[in-house]
Amino acid sequence: MSSKRMATIMGVTYGIAAIMPFFVGDIRFIMHILIMCLIWAVVASCWDLIMGFAGIFSFGQVAFFVIGAYTSAILSVQWNVPSVVAILLAGVFTAGMGVIVGLPCLKLAGPYVALVTFGVHMTLMPVLRGEIGIALGSGGSQGILTIPPVNILGYTFSSANQIPTFYFTLFLSVVCTVIILAVIKSYWGTAFLALKDSEEFAMSLGVSAFKYKLMVFALTSFLTGVMGAFYGHYIGMLSTRMLELDLFCTLMVMLVVGGIGRFPGAILGAFITVTANELLAPLGAYRAVTLGALVVLLVLLLPNGVMGLWLKRSDAEA
Amino acid sequence: MLKATRVTKKFGELVAVNDLSFHVQDGQIYGIAGPNGAGKSTVFNLITGNYGYEGKIEFGGKKITGLSPYRIAQEGIARTFQIPQIFPSLTVKKSISVGSRFGARNGLDEDHVEKIIRFVELEDERTQKTGRLNLLGKKKLMIGASLATKPKILMLDEPMAGSNATEIKELMNLIRKINVELGVTVIIIEHFMKVLTELTEKLLIIESGSMICCDAPEAVTKNPEVIESYLGKAYAERD
């Protein structure tokens, strides 16, 4: 898909989101959902970049989100680091963790990468709840309950003043997804696709699998870590509950709904999934089953996700 | 130009390449042949750094042993694969650009990419996704992407496999053009002896990873040991 078409879809999606406060700005619940859509749009796009474009079956995206969230929260609460600095440091720390996780994955084939990265996800909860986590300031099983909101030049962005917070989140989300778009359309993106399609051939043409795979781990971990850090400051509290399978599955549904490797499908997937999840809330215990059935139906009708509606035949086949 | 000295590769108990030495001269078309499982493709994989090995391989006087495949590509050694490798997510032009962007020393050269597209005669397919190409198209694409790295040596692994007579003729002409017009040294693994005898100046025959002989094609096809172990008596008596 051309850059122009991708940018148009992103522009329309974010444009619609941008005017929503004019209609629903006074409904706190909807504004919260919109903010969450913007956060998940970035996380899902990062996952799409590493899995859909680079072909690395990383299942560690939620873990990186939580690492970013906890790092920034601990820096702010324990060390009184200003929130903006803490968010950036959390992004850098998460990128470092991404590289550390990525290194052993370079020697592994698809399913084993999934196992290693999901192993990191599964290990994180006991670490944060255990003695190491408590020593670092994770708050153990109770979590961190008093995370200060983002403060820029004395102006506070928190759940108490949602409209400015919404626009700040929109700004962050747009910046992060534009970075992802730029990467996809740059020679980095070409290297990712070439390595995904045929690593052997790509390397024989001078593409360094080591360099580009680590780059994608670092970049996606950084952006995910930044959004995780922002999430912590926005919500004001964190617990390891995020590491249970609900969020992991919901994120995966976002990717499937948007279309894996069909950026900016992940952004659409995030908006559709979060909205559908909330609309189905009255179904109670049947919500997950209904959402699952809708996903199965969507996969059957649109194997390329909702992006399949915009894809040319040649793109769809590829 | 390319010199392998006492190269040995073992996979566990199996000796795939055994104490092999050879020397490819600048500007040559050099053939490698041998029965299935002789270790021909393994030799390519050793040269391109896909496997570690004992011994030494030098390219242009520089030791390339231990370099990773992408570094070897950037040094000027390009290769194609027996089973065509393509990038289904990319168009023909973009696939060829990969070679230029990442493999050539001076980075992406749009003019060179266009020249290569014309050279391998894929002008009409340049905007197509590579998955839609036929077998010949895929082979030309692989060769084109490899040439885009501006190699000094191009190694072709069974380029004629699965091709009909017309396609073989076309590929042979392309290989000659690569050697003569672009001045690229070519190493070719092939089973079609006719192709090797018509194209190559020197032919290395290996069996079970060891060299049987290395000589001009006319001499090789008359070598009793080669006839016995690879070509068969029917080949020797065909005239």
Side-chain angles (χ1 to χ4, degrees):
Chain A
M1 184 179 273
S2 69
S3 314
K4 200 174 161 187
R5 198 178 257 220
M6 283 182 176
T8 307
I9 294 170
M10 283 169 67
V12 170
T13 310
Y14 282 124
I16 293 171
I19 58 168
M20 290 304 279
F22 294 106
F23 306 105
V24 294
D26 52 348
I27 308 173
R28 290 183 58 81
F29 170 65
I30 295 180
M31 289 308 294
H32 172 71
I33 289 173
L34 283 170
I35 289 170
M36 293 314 295
C37 285
L38 293 168
I39 291 171
W40 296 132
V42 176
V43 182
S45 298
C46 285
W47 204 0
D48 191 32
L49 180 62
I50 194 164
M51 196 156 76
F53 282 84
I56 300 167
F57 282 87
S58 168
F59 280 5
Q61 223 55 35
V62 176
F64 294 135
F65 184 82
V66 172
I67 290 170
Y70 267 90
T71 306
S72 186
I74 290 169
L75 286 172
S76 295
V77 173
Q78 303 285 330
W79 302 88
N80 295 319
V81 175
S83 51
V84 174
V85 179
I87 288 172
L88 287 173
L89 288 175
V92 173
F93 179 75
T94 314
M97 292 301 290
V99 170
I100 291 169
V101 173
L103 276 170
C105 293
L106 294 174
K107 295 276 179 194
L108 301 172
Y112 298 99
V113 175
L115 279 175
V116 168
T117 49
F118 196 63
V120 172
H121 177 111
M122 297 303 284
T123 313
L124 200 55
M125 192 187 284
V127 168
L128 288 171
R129 283 187 173 182
E131 286 176 14
I132 299 171
I134 291 168
L136 290 169
S138 71
S141 52
Q142 192 187 7
I144 306 174
L145 304 173
T146 53
I147 307 166
V150 174
N151 188 304
I152 300 172
L153 302 171
Y155 198 89
T156 301
F157 296 95
S158 69
S159 48
N161 49 351
Q162 276 188 315
I163 293 180
T165 306
F166 167 82
Y167 283 109
F168 183 70
T169 318
L170 179 68
F171 169 76
L172 263 184
S173 189
V174 169
V175 168
C176 290
T177 50
V178 165
I179 290 172
I180 291 170
L181 172 65
V183 166
I184 286 170
K185 287 297 168 188
S186 71
Y187 67 86
W188 285 24
T190 309
F192 295 157
L193 287 173
L195 287 167
K196 180 183 81 166
D197 285 347
S198 172
E199 187 169 324
E200 201 177 26
F201 186 35
M203 286 180 73
S204 79
L205 296 176
V207 181
S208 166
F210 180 84
K211 178 178 160 187
Y212 287 99
K213 283 186 177 181
L214 280 191
M215 269 176 161
V216 78
F217 264 105
L219 177 72
T220 55
S221 310
F222 175 79
L223 296 176
T224 305
V226 164
M227 289 318 284
F230 174 75
Y231 169 87
H233 290 280
Y234 164 65
I235 298 288
M237 53 186 278
L238 284 175
S239 81
T240 52
R241 228 196 131 260
M242 283 189 295
L243 288 161
E244 288 171 4
L245 284 178
D246 315 24
L247 179 57
F248 182 86
C249 293
T250 310
L251 258 174
M252 193 166 269
V253 169
M254 290 176 198
L255 273 194
V256 172
V257 168
I260 298 172
R262 306 290 177 196
F263 187 81
I267 300 172
L268 298 174
F271 276 89
I272 293 167
T273 308
V274 174
T275 309
N277 212 12
E278 294 303 332
L279 288 174
L280 294 173
L283 297 178
Y286 296 103
R287 173 163 73 169
V289 178
T290 313
L291 192 66
L294 287 173
V295 170
V296 170
L297 204 63
L298 186 113
V299 168
L300 290 173
L301 295 173
L302 290 169
N304 289 306
V306 289
M307 283 303 287
L309 297 169
W310 284 280
L311 288 174
K312 283 190 225 163
R313 218 182 94 200
S314 58
D315 285 329
E317 282 170 3
Chain B
M1 179 173 237
L2 184 82
K3 192 177 173 190
T5 313
R6 306 201 66 178
V7 171
T8 298
K9 174 66 191 171
K10 293 176 189 164
F11 294 105
E13 295 292 305
L14 176 77
V15 183
V17 175
N18 187 17
D19 203 23
L20 188 68
S21 298
F22 59 91
H23 188 189
V24 181
Q25 302 283 352
D26 193 6
Q28 261 184 344
I29 300 184
Y30 190 94
I32 301 177
N36 285 329
K40 305 181 294 292
S41 294
T42 305
V43 170
F44 268 19
N45 284 326
L46 299 184
I47 296 169
T48 53
N50 290 81
Y51 304 138
Y53 52 87
E54 294 164 34
K56 185 171 75 171
I57 299 179
E58 291 165 283
F59 174 59
K62 184 181 170 187
K63 190 177 166 192
I64 56 168
T65 305
L67 292 182
S68 52
Y70 85 94
R71 282 283 297 115
I72 288 174
Q74 290 168 349
E75 288 293 326
I77 300 179
R79 71 167 295 181
T80 65
F81 297 83
Q82 189 180 341
I83 298 166
Q85 303 278 312
I86 53 162
F87 304 130
S89 306
L90 305 179
T91 61
V92 167
K93 186 179 174 186
K94 200 82 176 171
S95 297
I96 291 177
S97 302
V98 170
S100 179
R101 175 64 187 79
F102 298 96
R105 278 179 176 269
N106 47 357
L108 180 63
D109 179 347
E110 292 280 3
D111 293 338
H112 186 64
V113 171
E114 282 302 325
K115 183 184 152 189
I116 295 297
I117 291 172
R118 285 193 301 276
F119 190 83
V120 295
E121 296 173 358
L122 285 174
E123 300 101 309
D124 297 337
E125 292 86 4
R126 60 151 59 77
T127 56
Q128 259 186 36
K129 285 275 161 72
T130 56
R132 297 168 75 90
L133 294 171
N134 60 20
L135 181 65
L136 181 65
K138 284 175 183 169
K139 288 181 176 185
K140 284 178 171 182
L141 176 85
M142 259 199 310
I143 292 171
S146 303
L147 289 175
T149 64
K150 298 184 178 170
K152 296 185 186 91
I153 288 188
L154 175 63
M155 306 201 301
L156 303 165
D157 194 350
E158 295 195 30
M160 311 301 167
S163 303
N164 61 34
T166 319
E167 289 167 345
I168 288 175
K169 206 172 167 187
E170 194 174 335
L171 285 167
M172 282 175 73
N173 286 335
L174 181 62
I175 292 165
R176 275 195 200 98
K177 261 174 62 184
I178 290 167
N179 183 244
V180 175
E181 291 179 24
L182 301 181
V184 174
T185 304
V186 176
I187 307 177
I188 177 171
I189 292 176
E190 193 46 73
H191 277 298
F192 289 102
M193 279 312 281
K194 190 171 156 40
V195 171
L196 290 174
T197 50
E198 282 187 28
L199 277 180
T200 63
E201 293 160 51
K202 205 165 186 184
L203 195 48
L204 168 71
I205 307 291
I206 52 177
E207 193 200 8
S208 305
S210 301
M211 181 196 292
I212 298 181
C213 86
C214 182
D215 210 332
E218 305 78 44
V220 167
T221 50
K222 287 175 188 148
N223 183 306
E225 206 180 339
V226 174
I227 292 168
E228 176 69 30
S229 63
Y230 178 49
L231 296 176
K233 284 187 178 142
Y235 182 88
E237 292 162 2
R238 72 196 187 286
D239 295 326

